[in-house]
Amino acid sequence: MTRRVRRKVAKKGKDDAVSLSYLEIEVEDLGLERNGDVDWTSLPDDTVIQLFFCLNYRDRASLSSTCKTWRVLGASQCLWSSLDLRAHKFDTATATSLASRCVYLQKLRFRGAESADAIIHLQAKNLREISGDYCRKITDATLSVIVARHEALESLQLGPDFCERITGDAIKAVALCCPKLKKLWLSGIKDVYADAINALAKHCPNLVDVGFLDCLNVDEAALENVSSVRFLSVAGTSNMKWDVVSQLWHKLPKLIGLDVSRTDIGLAAISRLLSSSLSLKVLCALNCPVLEEETSISTTKTNGKLLLALFSDIFRELSSLLAETSNKGRNVFLDWTCSKNKDKNLNEIMTWLEWILSHTLLRTAESNPQGLDNFWLKQGAALLLSLMQSSQVDVQERAATGLATFVVIDDENASIDRGRAEAVMRDGGIRLLLNLAKSWHEGLQSEAAKALANLSVNANVAKAVAEEGGINILAALARSMNRLVAEEAAGGLWNLSVGEEHKAAIAEAGGVKALVDLIFKWSSGGDGVLERAAGALANLAADDKCSMEVAIAGGVHALVMLARNCKFEGVQEQAARALANLASHGDSNSNNAAVGQEAGALEALVQLTRSPHEGVRQEAAGALWNLSFDDRNREAIAAAGGVEALVTLAQSCSNASPGLQERAAGALWGLSVSEANSIAIGREGGVAPLIALARSDTEDVHETAAGALWNLAFNHSNALRIVEEGGVPALVHLCSSSLSKMARFMAALALAYMFDGRIDEFAPMSSSSESTSKSVSLDGARRMALKHIEAFIRTFSNPQAFAAAAASSAPAALAQVTEKARIQEAGHLRCSGAEIGRFVSMLRNSSSILKACAAFALLQFTIPGGRHAVHHASLMQGGGAARVLRAAAAAATSPIEAKIFARIVLRNLEHHHQVEPSI
């Protein structure tokens, strides 16, 4: 068998040693040719086994099936001594297929009830350790069957989430079936009654480590009977009778460590345990509010025992356990791991302390109680970082998860505590997390990536992550076949991509391609990874160059696929946002047209505007708004039912967020550029909701509503509808009061369209057939409109500059007027020939106010440097506008504003004629 494969390598250190964290091997290290075929069967057996060791169980099984030699090597005992199934779908069929390889399986980690049901089908009779999470649905029956099939079990851990359906009956089954049991940790049991505990005491003589965490009731007296126990934890357990505990538990002859963290234990019970127990060496009471409120706690005698609490110097207490005093400090666990101390008792204590501290800190971070800021900043963050250097992988995972959790103060709005995040950074946490992320343990990769993702919400931390090489690491993890790893890595790239300075680096690291591939890889059954990948692509697509990378990588097709097929609102929202950003670059790239041409894209976005989730509706409307700038897209959106959908959306969002209001009005603005769509919007009832949105208190909503009404007012039937629906007062208010110059400008133009005389021809028919119940005074509305149009124009006039311009044709004088009159954003407006023609015709209007308004508008549209100024100048020169402008500039009856503005427009046309000789 020969295979041609692609390989990458991660190198570390001066000797270029291969890092297995990327699960890749470099060809040169194997002594093979880089170019040409590779005969993988010629590799030494130990090298092949090492390769297998770097793969998850699915890939091991698949690769083993490729040839006889590898089938034998793939079944090697060392490869199947431990399985971590948490990231994979593990059911009966999968377990049955793996059974032949699991004869020597000793350690198993699983997730969820379905995986628990499948464990027995592995037929791993030699199993020593079982650890499970997401255990809420696991029943007594399931647990009883598991332990009955694995009599050699020495360690059973279920949690930290609550085992709500497991009772004391299952604990009795564990005791009866597993006589070799040494460690039992269960979380969230409702009632650990006496018979269950006594069964453990009777049948499990080797049981030394017991944890009943976050339970509702535990029989305190029965625990005295478990005389073999050396380490006991009841952290988080409620309804404890502490007077009974203090009277009985000190009699446990071998008890070395006791954990009562997160309980309501008081000082009296603590003092009695410390003074009465002869064997006890460590008592952990972190986050015990009743104890911490005691005023005399500082004078409590510990009788040479360690008391770990929020008010104690935890690092100093831990360091006192070590005989070597030279290395005392915040690296106490690393110092212990690296020390030459072979004291068995000390090793057991330190191992247990790592376990219970990592668990307590994580659970405390998850509950996020008030008043612990000082603890987290002074000790908690450093403790988590120290535990991340443990030799126990489970401890490292929980510590990384704790870091990911304790910085978050508002999960809904992705807010993190700045002080906590920067404390992690100051203590070297970024480098530690990146090292964990490069581990070959997928659980560590996942939790480290999660912590990096959460910390990177802070801009300073994000910068540090990027500078330490974190972008390349996260991009590599995003390619992982482990869904949990890929999901958290995508989350990290999502948060890092918020910073403009990181987007190019993500693209250079191959992050764009990795994110797009994630969508195809997990297109079904991976809502979390899909949301994060789409969110990261949305941020990247906001950058012009990166948006092209997204399109080249197949991102348009991937995102449209999500918008069409995914039912999870988080994914829908991010996919729509990504499509909106891809389409936002106008003429700078072709992505706008590409999105519109993708099969089903426009129909999917129109459908998403009907979503029950506001965020989805907002992003879908934003995408349609951006896409409507393309002529073909505009008509295709209308053909897909976009007019009706967006009118309905505008009608329903009067009480919605400003973001949704802005986008709903913006999408209608974009569609209304087409006269056919404009008429359809008016016919579908779009005028009234746009008027309502024009009354918003938000500037951005003012602009989009005014823009849409301006376009609608071009049609005389819509103009009359605006009058009849009370739009004149709304537009007048915008024209005079909005803080947005653009909103005021477009409101004035809408009013000018409505009262330049064309509405008069249609008003009688409309009044008799459509609005018989309304009394419309066009004359009164016209007077109100003209008055405010005039006031608006005068806000842009400078009497001294006008006088100077009237007396001289010097460019400097006209430039001064232009500078005062210029509305910067108006340069982005693109008008059709009909619209330009209407303003030119308005220069002949009998109303001096409308003449001035028309000249002012044409000035805005032709100012050199404007995005569409050349286009507008071409339309005007081709339509003979210069003659009309000269007449307006020379007319004795024209107001001075019209004269000066007309002269400036003529000068602009001359400028564009020189710049563009073809005009």
Side-chain angles (χ1 to χ4, degrees), residues 530-765:
L530 293 176
E531 180 181 13
R532 287 163 175 78
L537 288 172
N539 288 346
L540 292 167
D543 177 83
D544 186 21
K545 291 183 179 179
C546 289
S547 73
M548 292 301 296
E549 294 275 353
V550 173
I552 292 169
V556 173
H557 179 64
L559 292 164
V560 170
M561 179 183 71
L562 292 183
R564 294 180 64 185
N565 302 328
C566 190
K567 304 303 179 185
F568 178 59
E569 63 271 14
V571 178
Q572 292 175 337
E573 180 177 346
Q574 296 307 321
R577 186 169 73 91
L579 291 170
N581 286 345
L582 279 172
S584 68
H585 300 287
D587 301 329
S588 62
N589 63 48
S590 59
N591 286 344
N592 192 304
V595 173
Q597 292 166 14
E598 183 69 29
L602 302 180
E603 293 82 357
L605 289 167
V606 168
Q607 185 61 35
L608 290 180
T609 64
R610 302 185 177 99
S611 168
H613 303 282
E614 181 172 314
V616 177
R617 296 197 301 273
Q618 175 175 312
E619 299 303 341
L624 291 171
W625 180 13
N626 288 344
L627 289 164
S628 67
F629 285 95
D630 180 88
D631 294 340
R632 284 183 295 181
N633 286 346
R634 189 182 308 122
E635 303 313 316
I637 292 169
V643 170
E644 297 85 348
L646 289 166
V647 167
T648 300
L649 180 62
Q651 290 170 337
S652 66
C653 69
S654 57
N655 295 319
S657 67
L660 176 56
Q661 293 177 337
E662 177 195 8
R663 288 163 177 78
L668 287 172
W669 181 13
L671 288 185
S672 64
V673 169
S674 159
E675 186 169 9
N677 290 344
S678 175
I679 293 170
I681 291 170
R683 189 188 309 120
E684 291 292 330
V687 169
L690 285 169
I691 292 172
L693 292 176
R695 297 190 178 101
S696 166
D697 295 328
T698 305
E699 292 178 41
D700 291 338
V701 182
H702 291 174
E703 289 187 12
T704 53
L709 289 169
W710 170 37
N711 282 351
L712 291 179
F714 187 85
N715 176 269
H716 51 266
S717 59
N718 283 338
L720 186 57
R721 285 191 181 98
I722 295 172
V723 176
E724 292 170 344
E725 295 287 351
V728 173
L731 288 167
V732 161
H733 179 73
L734 280 187
C735 185
S736 59
S737 303
S738 176
L739 297 178
S740 165
K741 287 184 179 180
M742 275 292 287
R744 293 163 58 204
F745 176 52
M746 291 185 291
L749 298 188
L751 291 170
Y753 276 175
M754 291 161 61
F755 297 111
D756 67 351
R758 297 194 185 187
I759 197 174
D760 298 332
E761 302 173 6
F762 186 76
M765 180 176 65

Side-chain angles (χ1 to χ4, degrees), residues 134-212:
Y134 288 71
C135 300
R136 292 182 184 275
K137 295 183 180 180
I138 296 178
T139 63
D140 280 359
T142 297
L143 183 55
S144 297
V145 171
I146 290 173
V147 296
R149 299 290 183 89
H150 302 97
E151 296 180 359
L153 204 62
E154 296 178 358
S155 174
L156 176 63
Q157 304 165 53
L158 299 178
D161 46 308
F162 295 175
C163 303
E164 296 176 344
R165 301 176 67 180
I166 293 177
T167 69
D169 293 345
I171 297 176
K172 290 175 67 176
V174 171
L176 292 169
C177 296
C178 304
K180 297 181 180 180
L181 195 67
K182 296 179 180 179
K183 182 174 184 176
L184 177 65
W185 274 51
L186 300 174
S187 295
I189 308 295
K190 291 182 180 178
D191 187 12
V192 185
Y193 52 77
D195 284 352
I197 297 174
N198 288 331
L200 291 170
K202 180 178 180 181
H203 299 287
C204 301
N206 299 318
L207 186 60
V208 296
D209 190 349
V210 176
F212 294 123

Side-chain angles (χ1 to χ4, degrees), residues 1 13 24 156 177 225 237 260 287 300 461 482 622 734 751 858:
M1 177 196 71
E24 294 156 351
L156 176 63
C177 296
N225 299 325
T237 293
V260 294
N287 192 22
T300 301
V461 177
N482 184 311
L734 280 187
L751 291 170
L858 293 172

